[in-house]
Coordinates of all heavy atoms in Angstrom, one line a residue:
Chain A
N13 N 100.8 193.8 206.8 CA 101.0 193.5 205.4 C 102.3 192.8 205.1 O 102.3 191.9 204.3 CB 100.9 194.8 204.6 CG 99.5 195.4 204.5 OD1 98.5 194.6 204.3 ND2 99.3 196.7 204.7
N49 N 110.9 200.9 196.4 CA 109.4 200.8 196.1 C 108.8 202.2 196.0 O 108.7 202.9 197.0 CB 108.7 200.0 197.3 CG 107.2 199.9 197.0 OD1 106.7 200.2 195.9 ND2 106.5 199.3 197.9
E50 N 108.4 202.5 194.7 CA 107.8 203.8 194.5 C 106.6 204.1 195.3 O 106.2 205.2 195.5 CB 107.5 204.0 193.0 CG 106.4 203.1 192.5 CD 106.3 203.1 191.0 OE1 106.3 204.1 190.3 OE2 106.1 201.9 190.5
M51 N 105.9 203.0 195.7 CA 104.7 203.2 196.5 C 105.0 203.5 198.0 O 104.1 203.8 198.8 CB 103.8 201.9 196.4 CG 103.2 201.7 195.0 SD 102.5 200.0 194.9 CE 102.1 200.0 193.1
E53 N 105.9 201.6 200.4 CA 105.3 200.7 201.3 C 106.2 199.5 201.6 O 107.1 199.2 200.9 CB 104.0 200.1 200.8 CG 103.0 201.1 200.5 CD 101.8 200.6 199.7 OE1 101.9 199.7 198.9 OE2 100.7 201.2 199.9
L64 N 109.5 192.4 194.1 CA 108.0 192.5 194.1 C 107.5 193.2 195.3 O 108.1 193.1 196.4 CB 107.4 191.0 194.1 CG 107.8 190.1 193.0 CD1 107.2 188.7 193.3 CD2 107.3 190.6 191.7
S65 N 106.5 194.0 195.1 CA 105.8 194.5 196.2 C 104.3 194.3 196.2 O 103.8 193.7 195.2 CB 106.1 196.0 196.4 OG 105.3 196.8 195.5
Q66 N 103.6 194.6 197.2 CA 102.2 194.3 197.5 C 102.2 192.8 198.0 O 102.6 191.9 197.4 CB 101.3 194.4 196.3 CG 101.0 195.9 195.9 CD 100.1 196.6 196.9 OE1 99.2 196.1 197.4 NE2 100.5 197.9 197.2
G68 N 99.9 190.7 198.4 CA 99.2 189.7 197.6 C 100.0 189.2 196.4 O 99.9 188.0 196.0
V69 N 100.9 190.0 195.9 CA 101.7 189.6 194.8 C 102.8 188.7 195.3 O 103.2 187.7 194.6 CB 102.3 190.8 194.1 CG1 103.3 190.4 193.0 CG2 101.2 191.7 193.5
Y73 N 103.7 184.9 194.3 CA 105.0 184.4 193.9 C 105.5 183.2 194.7 O 106.0 182.2 194.2 CB 106.1 185.5 194.0 CG 107.5 185.1 193.7 CD1 107.9 184.9 192.3 CD2 108.4 184.8 194.6 CE1 109.1 184.5 192.0 CE2 109.7 184.4 194.3 CZ 110.1 184.3 193.0 OH 111.3 183.9 192.7
D76 N 103.6 180.3 193.3 CA 104.1 179.9 192.0 C 105.4 179.1 192.2 O 105.7 178.2 191.4 CB 104.4 181.1 191.1 CG 103.1 181.8 190.7 OD1 102.0 181.2 190.8 OD2 103.1 183.0 190.2
Y90 N 90.4 180.7 192.1 CA 89.6 182.0 192.1 C 89.1 182.3 193.4 O 89.1 183.5 193.8 CB 88.5 181.9 191.0 CG 89.0 181.9 189.6 CD1 88.7 180.9 188.7 CD2 89.7 183.0 189.1 CE1 89.1 180.9 187.4 CE2 90.2 183.0 187.8 CZ 89.9 181.9 187.0 OH 90.3 182.0 185.7
L93 N 91.9 183.7 195.6 CA 92.2 185.1 195.1 C 91.1 186.1 195.6 O 91.4 187.2 196.0 CB 92.3 185.1 193.6 CG 93.0 186.3 193.0 CD1 94.4 186.6 193.5 CD2 93.0 186.2 191.5
R94 N 89.9 185.6 195.5 CA 88.7 186.4 196.0 C 88.9 186.9 197.4 O 88.7 188.1 197.7 CB 87.4 185.6 195.9 CG 86.2 186.3 196.4 CD 85.1 185.3 196.6 NE 83.9 185.9 196.9 CZ 82.9 185.3 197.7 NH1 83.2 184.1 198.1 NH2 81.8 185.9 198.0
W95 N 89.3 186.0 198.3 CA 89.5 186.3 199.7 C 90.7 187.2 199.9 O 90.8 188.1 200.8 CB 89.5 185.1 200.6 CG 88.1 184.6 200.8 CD1 87.5 183.6 200.0 CD2 87.1 185.0 201.7 NE1 86.2 183.4 200.5 CE2 85.9 184.3 201.5 CE3 87.1 186.0 202.7 CZ2 84.8 184.4 202.2 CZ3 85.9 186.2 203.4 CH2 84.8 185.4 203.2
V96 N 91.8 187.0 199.1 CA 93.0 187.8 199.2 C 92.6 189.3 198.8 O 93.0 190.2 199.5 CB 94.1 187.3 198.4 CG1 95.3 188.2 198.5 CG2 94.5 185.9 198.9
F97 N 91.8 189.4 197.7 CA 91.4 190.7 197.3 C 90.4 191.4 198.4 O 90.6 192.5 198.7 CB 90.7 190.7 196.0 CG 91.6 190.9 194.8 CD1 91.8 189.9 193.9 CD2 92.3 192.1 194.6 CE1 92.7 190.0 192.8 CE2 93.2 192.3 193.6 CZ 93.4 191.2 192.7
W98 N 89.5 190.6 198.9 CA 88.6 191.1 199.9 C 89.4 191.6 201.1 O 89.1 192.6 201.6 CB 87.6 190.0 200.3 CG 86.7 190.4 201.4 CD1 85.5 191.2 201.3 CD2 86.8 190.1 202.8 NE1 85.0 191.4 202.5 CE2 85.7 190.7 203.4 CE3 87.7 189.4 203.5 CZ2 85.5 190.6 204.8 CZ3 87.5 189.3 204.9 CH2 86.5 189.9 205.5
N100 N 92.5 192.7 201.2 CA 93.2 193.9 200.9 C 92.2 195.1 200.8 O 92.5 196.2 201.2 CB 93.9 193.8 199.6 CG 95.2 193.1 199.7 OD1 96.3 193.8 199.8 ND2 95.3 191.8 199.8
H101 N 91.0 194.8 200.4 CA 90.0 195.8 200.1 C 89.3 196.2 201.4 O 89.1 197.4 201.7 CB 89.0 195.3 199.1 CG 88.2 196.3 198.5 ND1 87.4 196.1 197.4 CD2 87.9 197.6 198.8 CE1 86.8 197.2 197.0 NE2 87.0 198.1 197.9
K102 N 88.9 195.2 202.2 CA 88.0 195.5 203.3 C 88.5 195.2 204.7 O 88.0 195.8 205.7 CB 86.7 194.7 203.1 CG 85.9 195.1 201.9 CD 85.2 196.5 202.1 CE 84.5 197.0 200.9 NZ 83.2 196.3 200.7
S105 N 93.3 196.4 205.1 CA 93.4 197.9 204.9 C 92.9 198.7 206.0 O 93.4 199.6 206.5 CB 92.8 198.3 203.5 OG 91.5 197.7 203.4
M109 N 95.1 200.5 209.2 CA 94.9 202.0 209.4 C 94.4 202.3 210.8 O 94.9 203.2 211.5 CB 94.0 202.5 208.3 CG 93.7 204.0 208.4 SD 95.2 205.0 208.6 CE 96.1 204.7 207.0
S123 N 91.5 211.4 215.4 CA 90.2 211.9 215.2 C 89.2 210.8 215.7 O 89.2 209.7 215.1 CB 89.9 212.2 213.8 OG 88.5 212.2 213.5
D125 N 86.1 210.6 215.2 CA 85.2 210.4 214.1 C 85.8 209.4 213.1 O 85.1 208.4 212.7 CB 84.8 211.6 213.4 CG 83.7 212.4 214.0 OD1 83.3 212.1 215.1 OD2 83.2 213.4 213.4
V126 N 87.1 209.6 212.8 CA 87.7 208.7 211.8 C 87.8 207.3 212.4 O 87.5 206.3 211.7 CB 89.1 209.2 211.4 CG1 89.8 208.2 210.5 CG2 88.9 210.6 210.6
F129 N 84.4 205.6 212.6 CA 84.0 205.2 211.2 C 84.7 203.9 210.8 O 84.1 203.0 210.3 CB 84.3 206.3 210.2 CG 83.9 206.0 208.8 CD1 82.6 206.1 208.4 CD2 84.9 205.7 207.9 CE1 82.2 205.8 207.1 CE2 84.5 205.4 206.6 CZ 83.2 205.5 206.2
R133 N 83.3 199.9 210.0 CA 83.6 199.2 208.7 C 84.2 197.8 209.1 O 84.0 196.8 208.5 CB 84.4 200.0 207.8 CG 83.8 201.2 207.3 CD 84.6 201.8 206.1 NE 84.5 201.1 204.9 CZ 85.3 201.2 203.9 NH1 86.3 202.1 203.9 NH2 85.2 200.4 202.8
H144 N 81.5 183.2 207.4 CA 82.1 182.2 206.4 C 82.8 181.1 207.1 O 82.8 179.9 206.6 CB 83.1 183.0 205.6 CG 83.7 182.1 204.5 ND1 83.0 181.7 203.4 CD2 84.9 181.5 204.5 CE1 83.8 180.9 202.7 NE2 85.0 180.8 203.3
Chain B
N14 N 83.8 199.7 191.3 CA 84.3 198.3 191.3 C 83.6 197.5 190.3 O 84.3 196.6 189.6 CB 84.1 197.7 192.7 CG 85.0 198.4 193.7 OD1 86.2 198.6 193.4 ND2 84.5 198.7 194.9
N50 N 76.1 186.6 196.7 CA 77.5 187.0 197.3 C 77.4 187.2 198.7 O 76.8 188.2 199.2 CB 77.9 188.2 196.5 CG 79.3 188.6 197.0 OD1 79.9 187.9 197.8 ND2 79.8 189.7 196.5
E51 N 78.0 186.3 199.5 CA 78.0 186.5 201.0 C 78.6 187.8 201.4 O 78.4 188.3 202.6 CB 78.7 185.3 201.7 CG 80.2 185.3 201.4 CD 80.9 184.0 201.8 OE1 80.6 183.5 202.9 OE2 81.7 183.4 201.0
M52 N 79.5 188.4 200.6 CA 80.1 189.6 201.0 C 79.2 190.8 200.7 O 79.5 191.9 201.1 CB 81.4 189.8 200.2 CG 82.5 188.8 200.6 SD 83.9 188.8 199.4 CE 84.9 187.5 200.1
E54 N 78.4 192.4 198.1 CA 79.0 193.4 197.2 C 78.6 193.1 195.7 O 78.3 192.0 195.3 CB 80.5 193.4 197.3 CG 81.0 193.7 198.7 CD 82.5 193.5 198.9 OE1 83.1 192.6 198.2 OE2 83.1 194.2 199.7
L65 N 81.8 184.3 190.3 CA 83.0 185.0 190.8 C 82.6 186.3 191.4 O 81.8 187.1 190.8 CB 84.1 185.2 189.8 CG 84.7 183.9 189.1 CD1 85.7 184.3 188.0 CD2 85.3 183.0 190.2
S66 N 83.3 186.7 192.5 CA 83.1 188.1 192.9 C 84.5 188.7 193.2 O 85.5 188.0 193.2 CB 82.2 188.3 194.1 OG 82.8 187.8 195.3
Q67 N 84.5 190.0 193.5 CA 85.8 190.8 193.6 C 86.2 191.1 192.2 O 86.6 190.3 191.4 CB 86.9 190.2 194.5 CG 86.6 190.1 195.9 CD 86.6 191.4 196.7 OE1 87.5 192.2 196.4 NE2 85.7 191.6 197.6
G69 N 88.9 192.3 191.0 CA 90.2 191.8 190.6 C 90.2 190.3 190.2 O 91.0 189.9 189.3
V70 N 89.3 189.5 190.7 CA 89.2 188.1 190.4 C 88.5 188.0 189.0 O 88.9 187.2 188.2 CB 88.4 187.4 191.5 CG1 88.2 185.9 191.0 CG2 89.2 187.4 192.8
Y74 N 89.9 186.3 185.6 CA 89.1 185.4 184.8 C 89.0 185.8 183.3 O 89.1 185.0 182.4 CB 87.7 185.2 185.4 CG 86.9 184.2 184.6 CD1 87.1 182.8 184.7 CD2 85.8 184.6 183.8 CE1 86.4 181.9 184.0 CE2 85.1 183.7 183.0 CZ 85.3 182.4 183.1 OH 84.6 181.5 182.4
D77 N 92.3 185.1 181.8 CA 92.5 183.7 181.6 C 91.7 183.2 180.4 O 92.1 182.2 179.7 CB 92.1 182.9 182.9 CG 93.0 183.2 184.0 OD1 94.1 183.7 183.9 OD2 92.6 182.9 185.2
Y91 N 103.4 189.9 187.2 CA 103.4 190.3 188.6 C 103.2 191.8 188.8 O 102.6 192.3 189.8 CB 104.8 189.9 189.3 CG 104.9 188.4 189.5 CD1 105.9 187.7 188.9 CD2 104.0 187.7 190.3 CE1 106.0 186.3 189.1 CE2 104.1 186.4 190.5 CZ 105.1 185.6 190.0 OH 105.2 184.3 190.2
L94 N 99.6 192.6 188.5 CA 98.9 192.2 189.7 C 99.2 193.2 190.8 O 98.3 193.5 191.6 CB 99.3 190.8 190.1 CG 98.4 190.1 191.1 CD1 97.0 189.9 190.6 CD2 99.0 188.7 191.4
R95 N 100.4 193.7 190.9 CA 100.8 194.6 191.9 C 99.9 195.9 191.9 O 99.4 196.3 192.9 CB 102.3 195.0 191.7 CG 102.8 196.1 192.6 CD 104.1 196.6 192.0 NE 104.7 197.6 192.9 CZ 105.5 198.6 192.5 NH1 105.7 198.8 191.2 NH2 106.0 199.4 193.4
W96 N 99.7 196.4 190.7 CA 98.9 197.6 190.6 C 97.5 197.4 190.8 O 96.7 198.2 191.3 CB 99.1 198.3 189.2 CG 100.5 199.0 189.2 CD1 101.6 198.5 188.7 CD2 100.8 200.3 189.7 NE1 102.7 199.4 188.9 CE2 102.1 200.6 189.5 CE3 100.0 201.3 190.3 CZ2 102.7 201.8 189.9 CZ3 100.6 202.5 190.7 CH2 102.0 202.7 190.5
V97 N 97.0 196.2 190.5 CA 95.6 195.8 190.8 C 95.4 195.7 192.3 O 94.4 196.3 192.8 CB 95.2 194.5 190.1 CG1 93.7 194.1 190.5 CG2 95.2 194.6 188.6
F98 N 96.4 195.1 193.0 CA 96.3 195.1 194.5 C 96.4 196.5 195.0 O 95.7 196.8 196.0 CB 97.4 194.2 195.1 CG 96.9 192.8 195.2 CD1 97.5 191.7 194.4 CD2 95.9 192.4 196.0 CE1 97.1 190.4 194.6 CE2 95.5 191.1 196.2 CZ 96.1 190.1 195.4
W99 N 97.3 197.3 194.5 CA 97.5 198.6 195.1 C 96.2 199.4 194.9 O 95.8 200.1 195.8 CB 98.7 199.3 194.3 CG 98.8 200.7 194.7 CD1 99.5 201.2 195.9 CD2 98.4 201.9 194.1 NE1 99.4 202.6 195.9 CE2 98.8 203.0 194.8 CE3 97.7 202.1 192.9 CZ2 98.5 204.3 194.4 CZ3 97.4 203.4 192.5 CH2 97.8 204.5 193.2
N101 N 93.1 198.2 194.7 CA 92.2 197.8 195.7 C 92.4 198.2 197.1 O 91.5 198.5 197.9 CB 92.1 196.2 195.6 CG 91.2 195.7 194.5 OD1 90.0 195.4 194.7 ND2 91.7 195.7 193.3
H102 N 93.7 198.3 197.4 CA 94.1 198.6 198.7 C 94.1 200.1 199.0 O 93.7 200.6 200.1 CB 95.6 198.1 198.9 CG 96.1 198.0 200.3 ND1 97.2 197.3 200.7 CD2 95.6 198.5 201.5 CE1 97.4 197.4 202.0 NE2 96.4 198.1 202.5
K103 N 94.6 201.0 198.0 CA 94.8 202.4 198.3 C 94.0 203.3 197.4 O 93.9 204.5 197.9 CB 96.3 202.6 198.1 CG 97.2 202.0 199.1 CD 97.1 202.6 200.5 CE 97.9 201.9 201.6 NZ 99.4 202.1 201.5
S106 N 89.4 201.7 196.7 CA 88.7 201.6 198.0 C 88.5 202.9 198.6 O 87.3 203.2 199.1 CB 89.6 200.7 198.9 OG 90.9 201.1 199.0
M110 N 84.7 205.0 198.6 CA 84.1 205.3 199.9 C 83.9 206.8 200.0 O 82.9 207.3 200.5 CB 85.0 204.8 201.0 CG 84.5 205.2 202.4 SD 82.8 204.7 202.8 CE 82.8 202.9 202.6
S124 N 80.6 213.0 208.0 CA 81.5 213.5 208.9 C 82.6 214.3 208.2 O 83.4 213.6 207.4 CB 82.1 212.4 209.7 OG 83.4 212.8 210.3
D126 N 85.4 215.2 209.3 CA 86.7 214.6 209.7 C 87.0 213.3 208.8 O 88.1 213.1 208.4 CB 86.7 214.2 211.2 CG 87.0 215.3 212.1 OD1 87.1 216.5 211.6 OD2 87.2 215.1 213.3
V127 N 86.0 212.5 208.7 CA 86.2 211.3 207.9 C 86.5 211.6 206.4 O 87.4 211.1 205.8 CB 85.0 210.3 208.0 CG1 85.1 209.2 207.1 CG2 84.8 209.9 209.5
F130 N 90.0 213.1 206.1 CA 91.0 212.1 206.3 C 91.1 211.3 205.0 O 92.3 211.0 204.5 CB 90.6 211.2 207.5 CG 91.6 210.0 207.7 CD1 92.8 210.2 208.4 CD2 91.3 208.7 207.3 CE1 93.6 209.2 208.6 CE2 92.1 207.7 207.5 CZ 93.3 207.9 208.2
R134 N 94.3 210.7 202.2 CA 94.9 209.5 201.7 C 94.8 209.3 200.2 O 95.7 208.8 199.5 CB 94.2 208.3 202.4 CG 94.3 208.2 203.9 CD 93.8 206.9 204.4 NE 94.7 205.8 204.1 CZ 94.3 204.5 204.2 NH1 93.1 204.2 204.6 NH2 95.1 203.6 203.8
H145 N 104.1 207.7 188.5 CA 104.4 206.5 187.8 C 104.1 206.7 186.3 O 104.8 206.1 185.4 CB 103.6 205.3 188.3 CG 103.8 204.1 187.6 ND1 105.0 203.3 187.8 CD2 103.1 203.4 186.6 CE1 104.9 202.3 187.0 NE2 103.8 202.3 186.2

Side-chain angles (χ1 to χ4, degrees):
Chain A
N13 289 318
N49 183 4
E50 68 192 313
M51 293 169 184
E53 300 172 329
L64 300 177
S65 76
Q66 291 286 322
V69 175
Y73 179 75
D76 293 344
Y90 288 121
L93 194 59
R94 175 194 186 211
W95 284 95
V96 176
F97 271 114
W98 176 81
N100 277 264
H101 196 165
K102 293 290 177 72
S105 48
M109 178 51 63
S123 157
D125 276 11
V126 172
F129 179 79
R133 295 191 71 194
H144 180 76
Chain B
N14 290 317
N50 183 3
E51 67 191 311
M52 294 168 183
E54 299 170 331
L65 299 177
S66 75
Q67 291 287 322
V70 175
Y74 179 75
D77 293 343
Y91 288 121
L94 195 59
R95 175 194 187 212
W96 284 95
V97 176
F98 271 114
W99 177 80
N101 276 264
H102 196 165
K103 293 290 177 72
S106 47
M110 178 51 63
S124 157
D126 276 10
V127 172
F130 178 79
R134 295 191 71 195
H145 180 76

